[in-house]
Amino acid sequence: MVKEGHEVGIHGWIHELNSELGLADERDLMKRSFDTLAKTTGKPPVGMRTPSWDFSQHTLTLVRELGLLYDSSLMADDEPYELLEDGEPTGVVELPVEWIKDDAPYMNMVRHGAIRPHTPPSGVLSIFKSEFDMRAAGTWDESAQTETTTICAYCGVGCNLTLHVQANDIVKVTSPHDNPVTHGNLCIKGRFGFQHVQNRE
Ligand code: SF4
């Protein structure tokens, strides 16, 4: 992976929960991960995503101690932003996480519960690629899209949906920003469930 130019970032030592650790233990585990990756890959890591996106009151201190350039564990914005400490800029960039960019909700399997993957891997891949592929092919045309308002039927919350339709296919699902329930946010089933409706495979 490193030879192909990929960056390898820190993701904890034993998938620890940082917020349950004291500073010394969090530092010890983060340092073990940092040192091991530096030795294995031949260069020190420059960023991290905390295990379970769990960012403790000490994590930023440790990020700065290790000289990391970025973290990717927080959700304060859709776009990258700079982390502040006591109101002062730190120079550390936050690359925010978001469940809709994560494959875990589709692939999770809880051994002692009822959660099982409900979408084939090819379907999950298409979720992340479909709009990108249309844009890359030059076929994404918002002027040719119509919008239909409806209600999500996947659960009892009943979120308002706006279906964006192009050439008889639903190509995107959003929710109005001024909707008092969703405030423009939908869960993954609501946002991407349309791909089950029109799956032709
Ligand atoms: S978008 Fe999600 S939370 Fe809203 S009704 Fe559909 S499944 Fe329920």
Side-chain angles (χ1 to χ4, degrees), residues 172-197:
K172 184 163 76 170
V173 175
T174 58
S175 186
H177 283 281
D178 59 359
N179 184 272
V181 176
T182 67
H183 300 286
N185 299 305
L186 291 169
C187 82
I188 290 174
K189 281 171 95 174
R191 193 175 288 269
F192 296 111
F194 73 91
Q195 298 195 339
H196 299 273
V197 175

Side-chain angles (χ1 to χ4, degrees), residues 52-194:
S52 305
W53 308 344
D54 186 23
F55 200 96
S56 81
Q57 60 180 320
H58 306 301
T59 305
L60 183 55
T61 301
L62 300 174
V63 165
R64 300 184 80 181
E65 275 182 23
L66 292 174
L68 301 184
L69 302 178
Y70 75 88
D71 169 73
S72 182
S73 316
L74 302 173
M75 294 181 162
D77 203 334
D78 291 340
E79 303 293 332
Y81 54 97
E82 183 176 1
L83 292 178
L84 307 181
E85 188 163 29
D86 298 326
E88 299 296 324
T90 62
V92 178
V93 174
E94 178 61 34
L95 304 174
V97 289
E98 168 51 61
W99 281 114
I100 64 170
K101 298 176 188 161
D102 198 294
D103 61 359
Y106 304 99
M107 300 305 209
N108 255 351
M109 169 149 173
V110 178
R111 200 152 57 96
H112 301 292
I115 295 179
R116 298 285 184 273
H118 58 276
T119 312
S122 57
V124 175
L125 181 63
S126 79
I127 285 168
F128 298 109
K129 281 179 78 232
S130 55
E131 181 176 334
F132 178 88
D133 286 347
M134 285 181 76
R135 288 180 182 273
T139 54
W140 183 266
D141 181 4
E142 285 185 19
S143 67
Q145 293 171 13
T146 56
E147 296 185 4
T148 302
T149 320
T150 185
I151 305 283
C152 177
Y154 275 118
C155 85
V157 177
C159 296
N160 278 66
L161 303 182
T162 306
L163 308 181
H164 303 251
V165 178
Q166 181 178 326
N168 246 2
D169 275 341
I170 305 168
V171 291
K172 184 163 76 170
V173 175
T174 58
S175 186
H177 283 281
D178 59 359
N179 184 272
V181 176
T182 67
H183 300 286
N185 299 305
L186 291 169
C187 82
I188 290 174
K189 281 171 95 174
R191 193 175 288 269
F192 296 111
F194 73 91

